[in-house]
Amino acid sequence: MNSKTLEELASHFTTGTSNMRNIIKLRDMGEDSSCQKTLSTLNDQLHGLDVLLALMRVELATGREKVQQVKVLTNQIQDLKTSAVYAYQNLPARLPHRAPAPSTSRETSVPDTPVSQPRASSAPVLKILPPSGQVKKKLTAPPVPTVDYITVDEFQAVPKYMKGSSKVNYDSVNASIDELNKAVAAKYKLLAIPRVTRNDATKRKCEEYRAQENKDTKGVRFFVDSDIKAYSNFKMDGVGRSVLTILRHCGRLREIRGGGHTRYVVCI
């Protein structure tokens, strides 16, 4: 009580007296049955509000956790998008491209032409089949295997001493594989020419290939240094020999030596 004047002191006592009268009235109202019912109802409503407020707090906490999860997922999606864009913009040139779709325009379609039908004959038609022992089967040459590309993990696992020069990197190794596959395809395309249609140069070359075979080359496909030189742009220098060492280490090639030849076998 910090009253400075008599009026302020009187006002203070008047206010206190009024409050005391109101308290006495409220105390008397607590004994009234109608007031007790109203107070009970208010108490129930306050309890319900407390429960509702607690549920709202739980929902708010759950919402905050979901917002954090969405932020994490958004960052992950952004990282994936960045990686996908980088991969798309840096596709290796050695990957095959999609072939153009065939034209479906009617202008290029060949019109149907009527085919004359032979006149029906009452005489039966007999089909003469050759004996079973004389049926000729069409032989197809086995597919030529290719050297598979190495993966990034395989290249990173190669010891440094095998890589040698700094020019040997992941892209250069797979580009060299393309050149080696050219040599393999050219050799076995030549061997697939029927004997009756071979010219003298082709015959001599096929005889040279047969001379390179031995008991260890049965059932495998291989090439030698002269095939690389004749049919590809692969250079047998220090970088090239490092590439061959890496391919042997990764299980793409193996060597068969003997008879003055180093045969590079394509591993299937």
Side-chain angles (χ1 to χ4, degrees):
M1 185 177 60
N2 297 321
S3 300
K4 296 180 180 180
T5 62
L6 186 60
E7 289 80 6
E8 290 179 358
L9 180 61
S11 175
H12 175 73
F13 277 105
T14 302
T15 302
T17 303
S18 177
N19 290 336
M20 291 297 294
R21 290 195 185 99
N22 291 331
I23 292 173
I24 292 172
K25 290 179 181 179
L26 291 174
R27 185 191 63 179
D28 296 337
M29 290 175 62
E31 298 176 357
D32 190 355
S33 60
S34 61
C35 292
Q36 290 179 357
K37 185 177 180 180
T38 303
L39 291 174
S40 177
T41 303
L42 291 174
N43 186 45
D44 294 339
Q45 292 179 353
L46 289 174
H47 179 70
L49 290 174
D50 289 338
V51 174
L52 182 60
L53 182 60
L55 292 175
M56 292 178 65
R57 288 175 178 172
V58 173
E59 291 295 330
L60 183 60
T62 304
R64 288 174 179 173
E65 293 180 358
K66 291 183 178 180
V67 169
Q68 294 299 325
Q69 294 175 358
V70 170
K71 289 181 178 179
V72 173
L73 290 176
T74 302
N75 293 333
Q76 292 177 352
I77 292 173
Q78 186 62 36
D79 294 340
L80 288 175
K81 179 182 177 182
T82 303
S83 300
V85 171
Y86 177 81
Y88 176 77
Q89 294 176 349
N90 296 272
L91 288 175
R94 63 180 177 277
L95 293 180
H97 298 282
R98 181 182 296 179
S103 176
T104 57
S105 62
R106 295 185 178 180
E107 296 179 358
T108 57
S109 60
V110 179
D112 296 334
T113 56
V115 180
S116 59
Q117 300 291 337
R119 295 181 180 179
S121 175
S122 60
V125 179
L126 299 178
K127 295 183 179 180
I128 302 176
L129 299 177
S132 59
Q134 298 182 3
V135 176
K136 294 183 179 180
K137 296 182 179 180
K138 186 177 180 181
L139 300 178
T140 58
V144 179
T146 57
V147 182
D148 292 333
Y149 294 126
I150 66 173
T151 63
V152 175
D153 292 337
E154 287 177 321
F155 181 77
Q156 292 178 350
V158 173
K160 291 183 179 180
Y161 74 89
M162 290 187 182
K163 298 177 183 178
S165 173
S166 59
K167 296 180 180 179
V168 179
N169 53 46
Y170 174 74
D171 289 329
S172 65
V173 172
N174 283 330
S176 299
I177 289 176
D178 289 333
E179 295 299 323
L180 295 177
N181 284 332
K182 290 180 183 178
V184 178
K187 172 185 176 178
Y188 286 96
K189 182 179 180 181
L190 190 67
L191 287 172
I193 298 175
R195 293 178 181 271
V196 295
T197 59
R198 294 176 181 174
N199 55 28
D200 293 339
T202 304
K203 291 179 180 179
R204 288 193 297 269
K205 194 65 178 176
C206 291
E207 292 174 358
E208 178 183 341
Y209 287 145
R210 299 303 179 191
Q212 296 171 359
E213 298 177 355
N214 58 22
K215 61 179 182 178
D216 296 325
T217 62
K218 185 177 180 180
V220 300
R221 297 290 185 266
F222 67 91
F223 57 95
V224 296
D225 293 342
S226 59
D227 299 325
I228 297 175
K229 184 177 180 180
Y231 302 123
S232 72
N233 295 322
F234 187 90
K235 295 181 180 180
M236 294 296 292
D237 52 8
V239 175
R241 297 194 181 280
S242 295
V243 171
L244 293 177
T245 302
I246 292 173
L247 295 181
R248 289 197 303 270
H249 175 77
C250 294
R252 300 302 191 270
L253 297 176
R254 63 183 179 90
E255 290 185 359
I256 297 178
R257 296 179 181 268
H261 297 289
T262 300
R263 304 167 185 84
Y264 304 100
V265 179
V266 179
C267 298
I268 303 176

